[in-house]
Amino acid sequence: MTPPIVKRYLIAFEKYKWIGLASFTLVVAGSTVMAIQPEPPASYVANAALTYTSPPVFFSVTGTEIQQQGQVLSQEVLLSDQIVETVAAQVNVKPKQIGQNVAISVPEAPKPGEESGGSSLIELKYKDSNEKRAQETVQALMEAMVKLSAEINTRRLKAIIKKIDERLPQTKRELQLAEKRLEKYDRTEGPALLAAENGSLLTAITSSQNQQRQIQLTLSGIDAQIRSLQAKLGLNVNQAYVSSALSADPIIANLRSQIYQVESQMEVLTKQGARPEYPMMVQLQRQKSAYEQLLQQRAFEVVGGGGTAAPLPGTVTGIRSQSNLDPARQQLANQLVALQTQQETLQQQLVSLAREEMQLRQEYALIPNKQLERSRLEQEVGLKKAIYDKMQAKLTDAQTAEAETVSSLSIARPPIVVADVKPPKSVPTTLGVGGFLGLIVGGGVIFLLGSLEGTFKTKEDIRNSLKQRDVNLLGELPLMPVENLSPDELPVMLSADSPYLEYYEKFRSNLRRLGGKDLKVILIASVSSDEGKTVSAYNLGIAFARAGKRTLIIETDLRSPSCSPSLKVTIEPEANLEPLRYYGSLSECIRLVPDVENLYIVPSPGPVRQPAAILESSELRHLIEDARERYDSVIIDTNPLSASNDALLIQPYSDGIVLVTRPHYTQENMLGEAIDGLVESELGLVGGIINGADIIVPLPQPVEPVSSTGGESQIEDESQAEVSAGTRQN
């Protein structure tokens, strides 16, 4: 059996053999031109070498570094355009010729930390047809490279000095700013840091704590004295202050005395039987009221602040009761007020000391941060100063290196010219190699063009693609002859003795076996046109009918004319004018196939306008539902998936979809997208078939097999070329 790759190549060869032949001819022609070319003139190769050098003693580090950098020169630098153009002007040669004929070998630079153990020679070769010119060119190249090395070293040194001069003022300013920040910080935070260092801050905190404890002890003694005096007097501090102040005022004492006299007189008159309305009683009552008012006014004056500093009694009676202290009790009241004042003073001192201690503690807690900040500023100053000092030293060292800067290259070996003798070309060998390469190129072009078509070339390719996507292969159908058929007819198995019937019978049995008993309405679809969808639907219907099944074929491709004349069935000429009425009348649309028993067909009235609306109509749905009840099998032929969504509109009425493929016509990417879409949407993909497979079918009479399902060319057998069928394909 021929491998699939050989089949694909043979198919591509039949289609693109002239392109392959043209490629072969071009390669052979090129090799022939090369073979008949005359021998080139004798050439001379000038060999020379440069080496890395350095002065015996270096007095500067910068000079050493530049000299070491100068010993790492690349091929691009040594053969720069400047050198090539300069040498070309000297020897009167075009720069392009020098660039093409010169070759240089530069030793690899050692890695950091490694010593150079290889050769330090730079090999230089130049090829020319003139011996003297070759030697002069190499000599001029070496001198230019030595001069270029010196210029590079000088430019590097000047770049270092220029860069240092540019950055040195900025570095100096940064150092001065850092020193000013440190000096300012020492002025503001220095005393606190000094106090933390010599311990005076901790001493102040301890002293404040001792003073607070002493004041607290004093307050405890004063509290005890205050409680004792309050117990003896029966008065609190405010009451004692008011009573002492009122008792010590002579005016209040005089007013109290007068009030007592008036009250005594009123009491005598009351005992004598005088009534309150008695004029004398009224006069005494007025005097008493006047004295009481004066007493109350004087009490407010004596206490001061309108009673806010120390509250006064609300009535005159209360004022009189608190202004009767004797000298001993008055002395105790004054002592109580003095103790209260001393207590408040000490409490205020205690609050001040606690606040001062809190401030000292906060300042002491910030000492580590201040120390860190000062350390940071100190480090910044040190860093800036170190950078400034290094730049100063580097500048001095670079200025010293100016006297040491020389070229890093010197001539190690002068040019030596040798003749470059080449053996003569072999014409047969050149032609043989050209013919071999022509075969490879021509065959590769043919294979590449065949691969770029994007279609399946063999049935094995389609079979593998279906297997990779877990799609059942329902059958492989061979090509059918199309002789004696008109362009509008399709090859169908109207004869019961057709040798192709067994392949469609196998297709039918696999469909029943894999689809199950519920598979009654079968939708035949394809990815694109010319894949044999309609032929497969017709012949599958014939296979069902030959098996004794009452079968109906429904053409739903309303965008193309009907193919029912292939089954010797005609359609009404005016059916496309009113397609809904056509599908609504079963007697008009269902036709009996005359040559096949049990086979019926509903021809398409197409092409019609708005086919999608007709496919979604209730008339077509009722037709399919009625056909499901009346017939054993219903086969629906529809439009290709790539052309429209007609197949997806009909799918809900069907029980399963069969996908038709065909070598040379089915696109690989379109088939994959169609299968993935049907599987992901769960649209009931039963399987696929391979139509037009290269299967040799024994015919009653030898007939050259050509395309069975349309008018496109196709390879039928491994050894046969494509033959145009000339028929319409659906």
Side-chain angles (χ1 to χ4, degrees), residues 586-601:
L586 299 181
S587 60
E588 291 185 11
C589 63
I590 298 179
R591 302 298 178 88
L592 174 65
V593 178
D595 293 344
V596 182
E597 187 179 359
N598 296 325
L599 181 62
Y600 300 84
I601 185 172

Side-chain angles (χ1 to χ4, degrees), residues 264-274 278 280-281 284:
S264 299
Q265 294 176 9
M266 289 177 68
E267 185 175 358
V268 170
L269 292 175
T270 301
K271 290 180 179 180
Q272 292 177 359
Y278 188 68
M280 190 62 180
M281 289 290 290
L284 291 175

